[in-house]
Amino acid sequence: MAKRILFIDRDGTLINEAPPTYQLDSFDKLTFFPHMFEYMRRIATEMDYELVMVTNQDGLGTDSFPEHTFWPLHNLVMKSLEGEGINFSAVHIDRSFPHEHLPTRKPGIGMLKDYLNNPEYDIPNSYVIGDRVTDVQLARNMGCKAIWLNLEPDLGGSEIANTVDDLRQSTVALETTEWSEIYAFLKLGSRSVVHERNTNETKIRVELNLDGSGKAKVSTGLGFFDHMLDQIARHGKLDLVVETKGDLHIDEHHTIEDTGIALGEAFAKALVDKRGMERYGFALPMDEAEAKVLIDFGGRPWIVWNAEFKREKIGEMPTEMFFHFFKSFSDAAKCNLNVECRGDNEHHKIEAIFKAFAKAIKMAVKRDPFSNYLPSTKGTL
């Protein structure tokens, strides 16, 4: 079987960087990333990834960064890792300065060509773990995914905003600041599905990642409906793409109902293995409105709906269709839903329901990487 690799950056990932120079050239600057040892040891001992270190060390060996200031510290780092059972098969160090633009410098792949097009390695299912945009770019150039310890989330507001956004969409499998989340992600795997549902009335494509970060790209032809589906992604911390082309020239019914079915079917696919999952989940206020959504991904569909609306429509959505959406989702996802809401503002009421629904999903699909427990006495869900 081909080996999967974790290409791991050193500074800012395993050990903390040292502003303002970011040059780790003395022992008084050395501190390790919080909880790194605990979870790297688990990754190294419980999983079958090969560990490869890839690091840029600007000007190593020059007067500005003499080798005698680097190697003692680096050797201590490596021995400390080895002492915890964390063994790297190789360490690749680029010594160039950024302005030299050498192919060996991340995000260039010059140092790593032996891993590419080599049948011994499973590059598409490997990961680059790093803290810089260049680490994410390296993953894209390698043809694998990135786990981004993004300690500077405001990068997206700079002149490279479009590049960062594209990388998040195409290359970042996990964005976090915690090694515990990296371990959980690698241990449990990603619950991602692509699902299509096509009828004579609607054509629907759903991309769902239950372990995402809240990214959404929704297009149903109904603005308010798009806004509500976006709430599911944002507050459920899942990544969601929904593309619905329906017979809106007739009315909204098929578009809303079938989207609920397609989304529910996508959840059913993603939740095929429910071991370690919480299963249940939420009450949420929004201004004067109060919504309660209880959910159970127990394998049986049922819905209880206690919400009334005085307006015929909110945006382009008929209020009678809110029940149909959740009923369709419940049937297709094979889950129990208990929805209750009270309040005065109709917009607030339905938005509170969707947000509570998202929070309930987030709670219910959460998994414990230390547990292989199926949340049922029946032995199956």
Side-chain angles (χ1 to χ4, degrees), residues 121-133:
Y121 296 109
D122 182 2
I123 297 300
N125 290 306
S126 298
Y127 296 93
V128 173
I129 304 178
D131 68 312
R132 299 292 186 93
V133 174

Side-chain angles (χ1 to χ4, degrees), residues 258-279:
D258 289 4
T259 299
I261 295 171
L263 185 60
E265 289 172 342
F267 267 82
K269 282 186 175 181
L271 292 174
V272 65
D273 183 358
K274 299 176 182 178
R275 288 174 298 176
M277 196 178 84
E278 290 293 335
R279 177 178 167 179

Side-chain angles (χ1 to χ4, degrees), residues 223-296:
F224 186 77
F225 191 33
D226 290 354
H227 181 49
M228 292 300 100
L229 294 176
D230 184 73
Q231 301 300 319
I232 295 175
R234 186 69 51 85
H235 296 282
K237 204 178 179 183
L238 53 89
D239 295 339
L240 181 63
V241 175
V242 177
E243 298 172 356
T244 300
K245 295 180 180 179
D247 52 1
L248 292 175
H249 60 286
I250 296 176
D251 68 7
E252 306 87 350
H253 188 105
H254 297 141
T255 292
I256 297 169
E257 187 173 54
D258 289 4
T259 299
I261 295 171
L263 185 60
E265 289 172 342
F267 267 82
K269 282 186 175 181
L271 292 174
V272 65
D273 183 358
K274 299 176 182 178
R275 288 174 298 176
M277 196 178 84
E278 290 293 335
R279 177 178 167 179
Y280 301 102
F282 208 81
L284 182 142
M286 182 172 178
D287 296 337
E288 89 297 340
E290 176 187 323
K292 178 179 71 174
V293 176
L294 308 178
I295 196 167
D296 172 17

Side-chain angles (χ1 to χ4, degrees), residues 61-79:
T62 65
D63 291 342
S64 63
F65 195 2
E67 294 208 26
H68 72 267
T69 66
F70 171 79
W71 288 110
L73 186 148
H74 176 75
N75 290 337
L76 175 63
V77 170
M78 300 308 295
K79 288 183 180 299

